[in-house]
Amino acid sequence: MEKQHRELINNNMSDLVYFTSNVEAIVNNLLEKNIINKWMKDYVLRPKETKLQKRNLYKVIQGRGPKAFSALCRTLEDTSNITARNIILSSKSSIETTEYKSDDLLNNEISNIDLNNVKPYVKIHPQRRRMDVNDENLPIRAYPMGSNPKGYALILNINKIINKEERTGSNVDVASLMQLFKGLGYVIDLKVDSTEKELKEIIKQFVENCNKAKIDSIVVFIMSHGEAGKDSTRSSDILTADGVRFNTDWLVEQFEPNKSKRNVPKLFFVQACRGGNSDHGWKSFDNGNNQLQNDSTTTTINSSIGHIVNRRYENVFIANATVPGYNAKRDPVEGSWFVQKLCEVISENAWELDLNSMMKMVDTEVRKLNSVEHGFQTTEWTYRGFNKKFYFNPGLYDDNSDQ
């Protein structure tokens, strides 16, 4: 399916789920057209809740071929889902992104996402009470989070890497993250398939833009194939589009107090393998087109990675999809385990829970996906001078605006 068609579906997911009916008839029709296979039909209809069946349908169809979108529109019409058909035919993509080719450099201005008219993907406190200024979190036991925007979020998705398999399903993660951080009130900057040189320039410019802005937080989310770090004192490496190893600690160090806002919390999330160890096997369906994949480039690395924590780091939070030495699971249809569960937990609970509490929930949800068949994964998060509670406070701002 073409990118613009995937965007139409993801941007209108809530409306599509609401107006779509008779999911079984839709999947039977798509099966007859050879757009999906028997396993995909069973996957869509597996949940008992109709709402989840609808979401599965619109997720699965995005991973099919170039004829999938037109076939979906015809099928919606054939099954009397006229409103749903009209939604995806008449809507325009609202995601504003900047994707860089090999000879592009970062624009001087952050690519702003329009935060107005955003559907309520992220829950807001019913009494519109900010958790960072609750009595139990005073005096100064929580980071202030009332700026408008809440902060800048840089999303780096390295999907196509020279001489490596494409990270099928990463587009699902990108869509989920865009929706999440838009709902949380962030200005989002998305970069795709950057080379090492481009990535360093992007990060340099992003730091400069953050330093000029009145924001209460900074988020960097990077997704790529990964490996255990070559240097035992460094966390882990990810691969850039040109196949160069890029250490995640170098990324964090660009936000040291002498280089970026000193008292602003910096949140780093890494969806990548940290080695090649794996305890699982996944049965292949559809000639292997839908088997679970790893964001790893190796198969037998066993590494013990240490963490350097000193006062070079202030207010730094780092979350990794997996522990050192092991790979991270990614489903071509659902996206990665870590990203999908992170988005689900934060969107449902950010109005009342702090980041640490939500990370515990994320790990619990990832654990539920573990099985002998599917494999095993444990998330990991660390603090470097991150000594206060962190609340996103979605929808609540110092200027009392209602974004």
Side-chain angles (χ1 to χ4, degrees), residues 140-154:
I140 319 301
R141 289 195 294 172
Y143 290 103
M145 276 293 290
S147 64
N148 187 4
K150 295 289 186 180
Y152 283 175
L154 175 63

Side-chain angles (χ1 to χ4, degrees), residues 175-186:
S176 297
L177 290 170
M178 294 286 287
Q179 190 176 26
L180 174 67
F181 285 104
K182 185 195 300 184
L184 289 172
Y186 282 78

Side-chain angles (χ1 to χ4, degrees), residues 46-171:
R46 186 180 304 158
K48 294 182 179 179
E49 188 178 346
T50 305
K51 179 180 179 181
L52 296 179
Q53 293 180 356
K54 297 175 186 179
R55 286 191 175 276
N56 283 354
L57 166 66
Y58 287 112
K59 287 180 180 179
V60 165
I61 199 69
Q62 293 182 57
R64 308 313 294 154
K67 298 180 180 179
F69 184 78
S70 58
L72 173 64
C73 293
R74 289 195 300 271
T75 298
L76 291 174
E77 183 175 355
D78 293 342
T79 56
S80 300
N81 282 282
I82 305 302
T83 301
R85 182 207 62 179
N86 291 342
I87 287 172
I88 56 177
L89 285 180
S90 62
S91 298
K92 294 183 179 180
S93 174
S94 63
I95 294 181
E96 301 176 13
T97 65
T98 305
E99 296 187 5
Y100 284 81
K101 298 180 180 179
S102 58
D103 57 349
D104 289 332
L105 293 177
L106 182 70
N107 288 335
N108 289 330
E109 299 296 330
I110 291 286
S111 300
N112 286 299
I113 296 291
D114 183 8
L115 300 180
N116 295 320
N117 303 316
V118 176
K119 299 185 186 304
Y121 175 74
V122 177
K123 289 186 177 179
I124 297 175
H125 199 291
Q127 283 81 46
R128 302 190 65 80
R129 186 173 71 242
R130 281 178 50 178
M131 302 305 295
D132 58 334
V133 294
N134 259 9
D135 290 341
E136 66 180 38
N137 291 320
L138 295 174
I140 319 301
R141 289 195 294 172
Y143 290 103
M145 276 293 290
S147 64
N148 187 4
K150 295 289 186 180
Y152 283 175
L154 175 63
I155 300 176
L156 303 166
N157 184 38
I158 303 174
N159 181 42
K160 297 179 180 179
I161 303 170
I162 187 171
N163 297 326
K164 300 294 180 184
E165 291 185 1
E166 184 174 348
R167 299 177 54 253
T168 309
S170 69
N171 63 302

Side-chain angles (χ1 to χ4, degrees), residues 20-37:
T20 301
S21 61
N22 202 351
V23 180
E24 187 171 2
I26 295 174
V27 294
N28 285 333
N29 192 301
L30 292 172
L31 183 62
E32 292 176 4
K33 292 183 171 70
N34 293 318
I35 299 299
I36 63 173
N37 58 30

Side-chain angles (χ1 to χ4, degrees), residues 256-258 262 308-315 384-387:
E256 290 176 357
N258 63 325
R262 183 178 185 86
I308 300 176
V309 182
N310 55 52
R311 304 321 289 183
R312 290 174 61 189
Y313 304 107
E314 290 285 355
N315 307 305
R384 300 183 183 181
F386 198 87
N387 299 322

